[in-house]
Amino acid sequence: MAVTIADVAKHAGVSRSTVSYVLSGTRSISAQTRQRVEAAIEELQFRPHAGARSIRSGRNGVIAMALPMVYGPHNQVQMPYVWATLTAAQDLGLKLLMLTDDDGETAIRDTVVGSQVDGVMLMEVQRNDPRVALLGSLKCPAVLVGTPDDSARLPYVDFDAALAGRLCAEHLLDLGHKRVGYVGQSPATFRRDVAYAVHARDAALGTLRKARAQAAWTPCDGQAADVARAVDGLLAKVHGLTGLIVYNERALPLVLDRLAGLGLRVPQDVSVVAVCPDDEAERQPVPTTAVALPVEELARTAVRLLAGQVNGESVPSVTILAPTLKVRDTTAPAPAGGSGR
């Protein structure tokens, strides 16, 4: 495993930021501390990534993460991406600037034109995203985390959300489920036409309908009352429903609670398959069959590609992370005669 800035900091007994300052020369560090850090670098044979070395060449060593932040409980779903990106940037000797405006265009333009950052990492990419066209016109190093209809020739990295949706649907179909509901992201996410949410939903429903299964879907904001509305509504739309796909990390535990409250057993009456991080699937009362969201890998890949661009390197135009489904305890063969509701 490659040595990181965190390893150097631990070995030298200093903070990550101190190691970054020693590498970049952007802040005065005492001779004694510098010697400890340099000794740790030599002993561990740490080699800074090109993105970190670029700081020495006159760039400011700052990258921006443009992420429209959701304030409130749903924010907990976004924060793992923020922390993973921050850690990945620090490990390359880079600093992270957050751009959290809802539309982001003004903030991106001001930040890039003002030379405050070396590059931009664009999150929550919409299928037709005006921020993508803006970044293309600014000729700024950038990486998109998501798959727009038109990437403006900017490189993008993404989790294959469409394949994730298909895997969930195919798993339920293989178990004999022919009456299936889909709980998606929030209404606001679909209003913004965020690519991953639309691609996963359309692929799942398309797979189910191609197999002549009865299927319906609903958005869900993840609050308890709306989860109850979503589950009850799907049970009403799909008579005898026996399978649920949940691509809404915040809603998942509440979906399981609502089914239990209605007297429906998982998986004996209703099978549930989710798209969520592995740790979220494992900590449910019933460990949940799920397609894993590779949050850390997605963040590290995006930061590495952006750092490479900043340093003038050629990077892949498209990087797609393949999803994998792990069967746990929430899916089983469809019961004869449906769920009974």
Side-chain angles (χ1 to χ4, degrees), residues 141-277:
V143 63
L144 315 178
V145 182
T147 306
D149 288 351
D150 181 356
S151 68
R153 297 188 176 182
L154 297 173
Y156 62 90
V157 57
D158 201 2
F159 166 74
D160 194 336
L163 181 52
R166 287 199 298 274
L167 288 175
C168 291
E170 287 170 354
H171 177 62
L172 292 177
L173 289 169
D174 288 345
L175 291 170
H177 295 275
K178 290 292 188 177
R179 293 181 290 275
V180 178
Y182 183 101
V183 179
Q185 302 288 328
S186 69
T189 299
F190 286 102
R191 282 196 300 271
R192 294 202 312 274
D193 204 26
V194 175
Y196 72 84
V198 175
H199 292 159
R201 178 201 63 188
D202 290 354
L205 295 178
T207 300
L208 290 166
R209 288 166 181 162
K210 185 176 180 180
R212 301 184 182 278
Q214 186 181 352
W217 82 283
T218 182
C220 182
D221 67 15
Q223 302 286 346
D226 200 48
V227 170
R229 175 206 60 78
V231 172
D232 293 359
L234 288 173
L235 288 168
K237 288 179 184 177
V238 183
H239 179 70
L241 180 147
T242 65
L244 275 178
I245 299 170
V246 182
Y247 191 177
N248 186 318
E249 187 178 332
R250 176 165 164 71
L252 176 59
L254 298 173
V255 168
L256 297 173
D257 286 347
R258 182 59 179 171
L259 290 172
L262 293 171
L264 293 171
R265 301 164 300 165
V266 175
Q268 294 92 334
D269 299 316
V270 178
S271 285
V272 177
V273 58
V275 181
C276 66

Side-chain angles (χ1 to χ4, degrees), residues 7 30 65 88 94 136 153 171 173 188 231 254 267 284 302 304 331:
D7 298 323
S30 72
M65 182 185 197
L94 301 170
R153 297 188 176 182
H171 177 62
L173 289 169
V231 172
L254 298 173
Q284 299 307 316
R304 175 175 53 79
T331 51

Side-chain angles (χ1 to χ4, degrees), residues 56-214:
R56 297 175 186 258
S57 66
R59 301 182 183 94
N60 57 31
V62 179
I63 58 173
M65 182 185 197
L67 172 64
M69 294 294 287
V70 177
Y71 296 97
H74 188 69
N75 180 261
Q76 70 188 41
V77 177
Q78 293 182 315
M79 288 312 297
Y81 290 92
V82 175
W83 286 115
T85 301
L86 177 62
T87 301
Q90 288 178 334
D91 284 347
L92 298 182
L94 301 170
K95 297 183 284 291
L96 183 68
L97 174 67
M98 293 295 301
L99 304 178
T100 60
D101 293 19
D102 283 344
D103 60 49
E105 290 178 81
T106 301
I108 290 171
R109 183 182 295 105
D110 291 347
T111 301
V112 172
V113 172
S115 300
Q116 298 176 44
V117 298
D118 296 330
V120 178
M121 176 175 162
L122 193 66
M123 305 290 293
E124 295 277 337
V125 173
Q126 303 161 31
R127 289 194 296 176
N128 296 289
D129 199 320
R131 301 172 301 165
V132 173
L134 172 63
L135 281 171
S137 70
L138 291 173
K139 307 299 182 184
C140 169
V143 63
L144 315 178
V145 182
T147 306
D149 288 351
D150 181 356
S151 68
R153 297 188 176 182
L154 297 173
Y156 62 90
V157 57
D158 201 2
F159 166 74
D160 194 336
L163 181 52
R166 287 199 298 274
L167 288 175
C168 291
E170 287 170 354
H171 177 62
L172 292 177
L173 289 169
D174 288 345
L175 291 170
H177 295 275
K178 290 292 188 177
R179 293 181 290 275
V180 178
Y182 183 101
V183 179
Q185 302 288 328
S186 69
T189 299
F190 286 102
R191 282 196 300 271
R192 294 202 312 274
D193 204 26
V194 175
Y196 72 84
V198 175
H199 292 159
R201 178 201 63 188
D202 290 354
L205 295 178
T207 300
L208 290 166
R209 288 166 181 162
K210 185 176 180 180
R212 301 184 182 278
Q214 186 181 352

